[in-house]
Amino acid sequence: MNAKKTHENNTEFGKSTSELLILKPEGYPLSGMMEEYPVIENRDVFEFYAREQWSGYVARKGDYLFDRRMFPDFAYRIIDVEPAESIIGNSTSIIVTEEETGIPSSSEIRSDVRFEDVIGQELAKQKCRLIERFLEEPERFGKWAPRNILFFGPSGTGKTMLAKALANKTDVPIIPVKATQLIGEYVGDGARQIHQLYDRAEEMAPCIIFIDELDAIALDRRFQEIRGDVSEIVNALLTEMDGIVERDGVCTICSTNRVNSLDSAVRSRFEEEIEFVLPGEEEIVHILESNVRTFPLSVEKCDFQALAKKAKGLSGRDIVEKILKTALHQAIIEDREVVTGKDFEKALARLGRKDFTPDPTHLYV
């Protein structure tokens, strides 16, 4: 009751109407023998019911909303609300996540990454223009929509960043998921989670689903025995990618650094494959210069051109995480106010080259 009164008495503090409200069912305050839990049969009807019931409440992340009618005192926790601390109104979109879906929290739904933050990858950016136009005008494409896109290339080359930048540029939500999160504990869990993922994306359409490390669930069937049977997950994913259930405005972008290990049935579903490559010397210089500007310490003049030549073959993430960050941390450990060129050189020298990523085909006959 206190939570309910708090919502009702503080509505004057809300400054705007909520655009998006994401809830998670939490259950009853007390347990008993005769409990009955609500199951949402029609999401559109539930959304209307919820808006009408909680209209005027100030929605705050982490707070609880209680059903007052059909299932009195059944609690829903507010996972996220946009804008923060806004009032639930007639135009609020309300999404209920399933319990233990494996889908990441809604804090990752909106992206602030820009195309300028992804250094290099000009060909990939150019090909992403088609996806950008589709997300801006999905009705224009009809059956010719680019629904399934594959990003492939070495790890750390900006695949995830470009997907987030694309979502930011088109102002659409993105649902990033690690493929391993889709593997359930019991038979049927994985397929259920994939269908729930697409249900959620359809509610938010136009929307991007970004599945990282696709090879974790879509490994070539010749290699399946080394990691267990995930055929049900692959079949569910293929069903969604084939468009048997229409998901208007939903674009699936998958990412892998082992494209040759993917199952052919999955790979054939992608209308476009976009390759990401390791940065060249000039791009490495740009990565170095743009990132050292954000250092909390001063940086003495350094020959980044010479450093870039030695760092050729490394990914952008390796350069940032294993050279720049290591050099900065070393200076901080030694209580220095300046990061020197020698710090970068030492960090690079300690970094072992591990560019070779063999195709597992050679392990089998």
Side-chain angles (χ1 to χ4, degrees):
M1 291 296 294
N2 289 339
K4 296 178 188 176
K5 290 180 180 178
T6 300
H7 279 295
E8 292 173 352
N9 292 339
N10 288 313
T11 54
E12 67 268 19
F13 294 109
K15 297 181 180 179
S16 58
T17 300
S18 306
E19 296 177 6
L20 177 66
L21 182 66
I22 300 180
L23 308 176
K24 179 181 178 183
E26 293 289 356
Y28 292 101
L30 301 173
S31 61
M33 295 290 292
M34 304 299 293
E35 289 177 358
E36 183 182 5
Y37 288 88
V39 177
I40 298 174
E41 296 286 350
N42 187 311
R43 293 178 182 273
D44 292 335
V45 173
F46 174 82
E47 188 174 28
F48 182 87
Y49 170 79
R51 281 198 300 255
E52 197 273 336
Q53 179 173 209
W54 295 319
S55 179
Y57 280 30
V58 176
R60 298 182 178 88
K61 185 175 180 179
D63 280 3
Y64 291 90
L65 294 173
F66 292 88
D67 193 349
R68 303 191 305 268
R69 300 173 182 174
M70 300 296 293
F71 293 85
D73 294 319
F74 188 87
Y76 294 87
R77 182 162 56 90
I78 300 176
I79 302 298
D80 201 6
V81 58
E82 295 180 3
E85 297 194 14
S86 50
I87 297 176
I88 301 173
N90 293 332
S91 61
T92 303
S93 295
I94 299 177
I95 299 174
V96 177
T97 67
E98 300 292 336
E99 291 183 296
E100 300 178 359
T101 59
I103 298 171
S105 69
S106 58
S107 61
E108 298 183 78
I109 286 178
R110 292 288 174 177
S111 169
D112 57 1
V113 179
R114 303 170 302 163
F115 274 103
E116 295 77 16
D117 297 330
V118 183
I119 298 173
Q121 310 301 345
E122 296 304 322
L123 183 58
K125 291 178 184 177
Q126 185 178 3
K127 289 188 175 183
C128 282
R129 290 177 184 171
L130 177 65
I131 311 173
E132 180 182 333
R133 292 179 182 177
F134 164 64
L135 293 170
E136 290 174 343
E137 300 178 271
E139 66 284 348
R140 177 183 176 185
F141 285 78
K143 70 175 184 177
W144 305 104
R147 300 188 185 279
N148 306 307
I149 311 296
L150 179 65
F151 286 179
F152 72 94
S155 178
T157 49
K159 297 185 288 294
T160 302
M161 285 186 66
L162 190 58
K164 290 183 177 181
L166 185 61
N168 184 30
K169 179 73 181 299
T170 55
D171 193 28
V172 302
I174 179 171
I175 307 178
V177 182
K178 293 282 188 183
T180 50
Q181 293 177 279
L182 299 173
I183 302 175
E185 183 177 355
Y186 304 104
V187 174
D189 278 356
R192 175 180 59 82
Q193 291 188 61
I194 285 179
H195 294 313
Q196 287 175 353
L197 174 65
Y198 277 85
D199 285 342
R200 180 179 175 188
E202 187 178 19
E203 292 174 348
M204 302 166 64
C207 177
I208 295 173
I209 293 176
F210 181 73
I211 302 178
D212 198 10
E213 300 174 357
L214 179 65
D215 47 281
I217 59 172
L219 195 65
D220 191 304
R221 293 171 191 177
R222 291 175 296 169
F223 314 137
Q224 286 291 354
E225 289 183 1
I226 66 174
R227 57 175 305 282
D229 182 13
V230 292
S231 59
E232 65 163 37
I233 301 175
V234 173
N235 291 336
L237 182 61
L238 291 177
T239 299
E240 295 292 352
M241 293 175 70
D242 283 339
I244 295 175
V245 177
E246 290 292 334
R247 306 284 191 182
D248 294 333
V250 177
C251 179
T252 302
I253 300 177
C254 295
S255 169
T256 181
N257 57 2
R258 294 188 174 184
V259 66
N260 293 326
S261 301
L262 294 182
D263 188 86
S264 58
V266 176
R267 190 171 179 181
S268 66
R269 262 57 173 197
F270 294 103
E271 301 115 14
E272 184 73 53
E273 294 186 359
I274 300 178
E275 184 177 10
F276 286 69
V277 297
L278 293 170
E281 285 185 25
E282 293 304 318
E283 292 166 347
I284 293 175
V285 171
H286 190 181
I287 293 172
L288 292 168
E289 291 178 343
S290 61
N291 280 279
V292 296
R293 294 192 194 106
T294 64
F295 272 16
L297 302 181
S298 300
V299 180
E300 72 172 17
K301 287 187 178 181
C302 176
D303 188 353
F304 286 128
Q305 196 73 47
L307 188 64
K309 289 182 179 180
K310 298 178 182 178
K312 192 172 181 180
L314 297 177
S315 68
R317 183 169 60 201
D318 286 339
I319 293 167
V320 172
E321 297 292 328
K322 299 179 181 179
I323 296 179
L324 297 183
K325 184 178 284 189
T326 299
L328 173 63
H329 289 179
Q330 187 61 37
I332 293 174
I333 290 171
E334 297 176 3
D335 291 326
R336 289 190 275 116
E337 295 297 324
V338 177
V339 182
T340 68
K342 289 183 178 180
D343 292 322
F344 298 126
E345 294 283 353
K346 290 179 180 178
L348 179 59
R350 287 198 297 266
L351 178 60
R353 295 298 184 89
K354 297 180 180 179
D355 300 332
F356 179 62
T357 53
D359 187 329
T361 307
H362 74 284
L363 299 175
Y364 300 86
V365 293

